[in-house]
Amino acid sequence: MAKILAVLYDDPVTGYPPRYARQEIPHIERYSDGQSTPMPSAIDFTPGELLGSVSGELGLREFLEKAGHTLVVTSDKDGAGSTFERELTDADVVISQPFWPAYLTAERIAQAPNLKLAITAGIGSDHVDLQAAGERGITVAEVTYCNSISVAEHVVMQILALVRNYLPSHQWVLDGGWNIADAVSRAYDVEGMAVGTVGAGRIGLAVLRRLKPFDVVLHYMDRHRLPAATEQELGLTFHETVESLVAAVDVVTINAPLHPQTQGLFGDTLIGLMRPGSYLVNTARGKIADRDAVVRALESGQLAGYAGDVWFPQPAPADHPWRTMPHHGMTPHVSGSTLSAQARYAAGTREILEAWFAGRPIRDEYLIVDGGRLAGVGAHSYTAGNTTGGSEEAANFRT
């Protein structure tokens, strides 16, 4: 029998379960590329419930305990002596979410001799040292596509919020004011602007499709060029380099995975190539952008606005400068954890576990590392290496 250690974010401050705004969510069977949504043998939850917090348990407890397995769920994941570190020593499986990542560093992997499987309940497995996992023969899997559209919708929302100066305008209402001149002095139309995505995979392409009706000029850069028919359909301009793209657009959205080649990509040099007064939206990974370079660009006016929901480390310490920098629209890492998305990534986590317990192959589109190397979607999206360095700073959130 196996021990499964799940690291999930804290329950609502008002208690669990929350009072839900809606009683149901739409049922989706296939994604736009034809891939089926998760297909476990059964689920023990109601879609639309809060599953990603500690009490939600991803709907896994009944399934696992009926089969004789042990499930340990915690939100205490950072620092020496954390529940995660104590329970990891004899865990067979670790489940984590990108929104509240349990950083599986090489040091932690070395302390977990039984660990065989690391599952990301969501997409993006950069919180795992993929190099160390491969060397130890640990399989790494994620629920690919489960929340890609959720994130794409968040991107479009944040582009509009920045360009239209929505958040400061809303603040005038909260403060009892009616200061129209102040609200509109930084507000523009998106129509006619050039918008470019760094990364045009599932999320990036979905962003492009959703922006097309806004009558913007669309650009993209990706290691894998899109089919000519897609470029023609959306009127896309392809750029071979990120430098070429950022110099040609008014709005940049980052939709690329974090790996050694993208870590720190948006620093002073690259941001300096952007048009003065550009907007940057990053819902990919915080570590793709240089923290202090973003602050400097907002203070100087090189960037007119920065938004996103990804930070490094996560959770971000209370003194993280992105909390207080000017002209930002940051949120906690929530874009991919809507109640709609949670139903899919909880079901996908169970599907992965069912396959692993039964000795069946895990879906190729879910695999990141297998057999000691990058595999499946991981081989398409990542490069070998490690991006967990500095993650120990997440312990500062509590202090």
Side-chain angles (χ1 to χ4, degrees), residues 145 148 197-208 220-224 226 255-257 380-381:
Y145 219 154
S148 297
T197 175
V198 178
R202 292 177 175 88
I203 296 173
L205 181 56
V207 169
L208 294 171
Y220 81 100
M221 176 267 168
D222 197 283
R223 291 192 299 167
H224 310 282
L226 294 170
N255 300 292
H380 179 86
S381 303

Side-chain angles (χ1 to χ4, degrees), residues 165 169 172 177-187:
N165 204 37
S169 301
W172 283 114
W178 195 266
N179 298 51
I180 293 175
D182 293 282
V184 303
S185 62
R186 295 183 65 86

Side-chain angles (χ1 to χ4, degrees), residues 64-337:
L64 291 172
E65 291 186 346
K66 277 186 175 179
H69 305 299
T70 300
L71 174 64
V72 176
V73 181
T74 184
S75 65
D76 180 26
K77 67 184 184 69
D78 297 307
S82 64
T83 301
F84 175 59
E85 288 207 349
R86 293 198 310 270
E87 298 288 348
L88 181 63
T89 56
D90 61 346
D92 300 282
V93 180
V94 166
I95 302 169
S96 181
Q97 297 172 104
F99 329 107
W100 189 263
Y103 291 103
L104 263 179
T105 62
E107 293 76 16
R108 283 176 160 174
I109 288 173
Q111 297 168 14
N114 295 344
L115 187 61
K116 305 173 188 68
L117 175 65
I119 302 174
T120 300
I123 57 177
S125 298
D126 47 89
H127 55 279
V128 178
D129 184 331
L130 300 181
Q131 186 76 30
E135 291 171 358
R136 257 283 306 278
I138 297 168
T139 297
V140 181
E142 62 184 48
V143 192
T144 305
Y145 219 154
C146 66
N147 56 8
S148 297
I149 302 306
S150 313
V151 176
E153 291 180 359
H154 201 89
V155 171
V156 175
M157 176 187 72
Q158 291 198 311
I159 289 174
L160 291 170
L162 287 180
V163 176
R164 297 304 300 261
N165 204 37
Y166 170 75
L167 291 173
S169 301
H170 181 57
Q171 190 63 48
W172 283 114
V173 173
L174 298 178
D175 294 342
W178 195 266
N179 298 51
I180 293 175
D182 293 282
V184 303
S185 62
R186 295 183 65 86
Y188 301 89
D189 292 343
V190 174
E191 181 184 20
M193 285 190 171
V195 182
T197 175
V198 178
R202 292 177 175 88
I203 296 173
L205 181 56
V207 169
L208 294 171
R209 290 192 182 281
R210 281 152 181 76
L211 287 173
K212 178 65 174 176
F214 285 89
D215 292 326
V216 294
V217 183
L218 295 173
H219 298 246
Y220 81 100
M221 176 267 168
D222 197 283
R223 291 192 299 167
H224 310 282
R225 188 163 182 173
L226 294 170
T230 303
E231 291 186 352
Q232 183 174 5
E233 173 195 356
L234 298 177
L236 303 178
T237 297
F238 172 69
H239 295 261
E240 292 187 352
T241 67
V242 66
E243 291 82 4
S244 171
L245 179 132
V246 302
V249 300
D250 305 290
V251 181
V252 175
T253 168
I254 305 172
N255 300 292
L258 172 63
H259 52 80
Q261 292 181 358
T262 59
Q263 181 171 313
L265 180 63
F266 277 80
D268 289 315
T269 300
L270 189 59
I271 293 174
L273 297 177
M274 298 174 68
R275 295 176 177 177
S278 294
Y279 303 89
L280 182 58
V281 173
N282 178 14
T283 57
R285 287 296 181 265
K287 220 175 183 183
I288 295 176
D290 181 298
R291 183 193 69 179
D292 298 327
V294 169
V295 176
R296 286 190 289 268
L298 288 169
E299 292 175 343
S300 71
Q302 176 64 15
L303 286 178
Y306 182 92
D309 71 332
V310 287
W311 311 62
F312 187 83
Q314 292 190 165
D319 62 352
H320 195 294
W322 286 4
R323 293 182 183 270
T324 55
M325 63 188 179
H327 313 306
H328 80 80
M330 294 298 296
T331 57
H333 194 169
V334 296
S335 63
S337 195

